[in-house]
């Protein structure tokens, strides 16, 4: 992901908010054998097919408007105008990426976020914890969606529906403008559930950094 996209995720939470999340993770992990990681990305996918479709429709609409204003509506005017306007329209959608989501179906959005979260789970090494008790709280800002991924040891005892409930709770917090507070609340809830099923052992150690991962 390029620097500008990463800066969106990096600037979403303030330094104080990131520190509050880090402390929440440390407190939650101190009560159990689990490892909790929080991650924020600007978007889970570029949705290039949506960019192409949106640019085509937008350039086509503007071409019609221009042709009407010029009182010269012919196929020989329209097609060149669409071609000329396509790339400016594409740049416009890339400058305002939320607009292209209008051309992405809800299933495609959900799949993009879940796939990106699974990739991140393995890239960040959460599958390598000693007791297979790693949890990734994954936030995708463009889609305003959250995905929580648990390792095998956790999924044997905690049903996936529990994570979906927490993910929706966090997504609602993001939409309401209280993202950092919602992250801390969900981290606390994860810690409580981990404590119930995986109480802390004397030889436990912190296997993963507590800081929020930005990508």
């Amino acid at each position: 992901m390029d620097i500008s996209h990463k800066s969106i995720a990096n600037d979403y939470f303030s330094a104080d908010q990131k520190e509050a999340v880090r402390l929440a993770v440390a407190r939650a992990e101190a009560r159990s054998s689990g490892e909790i990681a929080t991650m924020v990305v600007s978007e889970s996918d570029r949705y290039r097919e949506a960019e192409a479709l949106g640019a085509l429709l937008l350039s086509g609409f503007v071409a019609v408007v221009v042709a009407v204003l010029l009182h010269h509506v012919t196929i020989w005017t329209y097609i060149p105008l669409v071609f000329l306007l396509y790339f400016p329209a594409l740049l416009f959608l890339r400058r305002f990426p939320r607009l292209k989501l209008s051309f992405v179906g809800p299933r495609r959005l959900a799949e993009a976020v879940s796939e990106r979260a699974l990739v991140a789970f393995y890239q960040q090494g959460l599958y390598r914890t000693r007791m297979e008790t790693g949890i990734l709280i994954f936030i995708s800002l463009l889609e305003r969606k959250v995905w929580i991924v648990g390792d095998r040891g956790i999924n044997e005892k905690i049903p996936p529906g529990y994570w979906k409930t927490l993910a929706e709770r966090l997504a609602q917090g993001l939409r309401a403008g209280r993202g950092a507070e919602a992250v801390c609340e969900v981290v606390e809830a994860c810690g409580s559930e981990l404590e119930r099923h995986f109480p802390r052992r004397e030889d436990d150690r912190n296997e993963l950094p507590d800081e929020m991962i930005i990508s």
Side-chain angles (χ1 to χ4, degrees), residues 83-141:
F83 181 78
L84 290 173
L85 293 169
Y86 176 82
F87 291 101
L90 188 63
L91 292 175
F92 177 78
L93 289 174
R94 289 178 178 174
R95 177 67 179 83
F96 301 98
R98 190 164 295 279
L99 295 177
K100 67 187 174 184
L101 295 187
S102 302
F103 306 99
V104 183
R107 181 175 178 180
R108 170 79 168 90
L109 284 178
E111 288 177 349
V113 176
S114 64
E115 289 174 6
R116 181 73 175 83
L118 287 172
V119 169
F121 183 88
Y122 287 98
Q123 286 180 336
Q124 301 301 324
L126 273 86
Y127 68 98
R128 293 200 297 261
T129 59
R130 184 177 59 170
M131 297 182 64
E132 297 181 331
T133 53
I135 295 177
L136 174 64
I137 301 173
F138 179 85
I139 301 170
S140 194
L141 296 177

Side-chain angles (χ1 to χ4, degrees), residues 37-64:
T38 58
M39 183 173 184
V40 181
V41 300
S42 298
E43 60 186 13
S44 290
D45 196 286
R46 290 296 299 274
Y47 306 105
R48 295 188 186 278
E49 76 284 5
E51 288 181 346
L53 176 59
L56 181 61
L57 294 176
L58 181 59
S59 60
F61 173 75
V62 176
V64 168

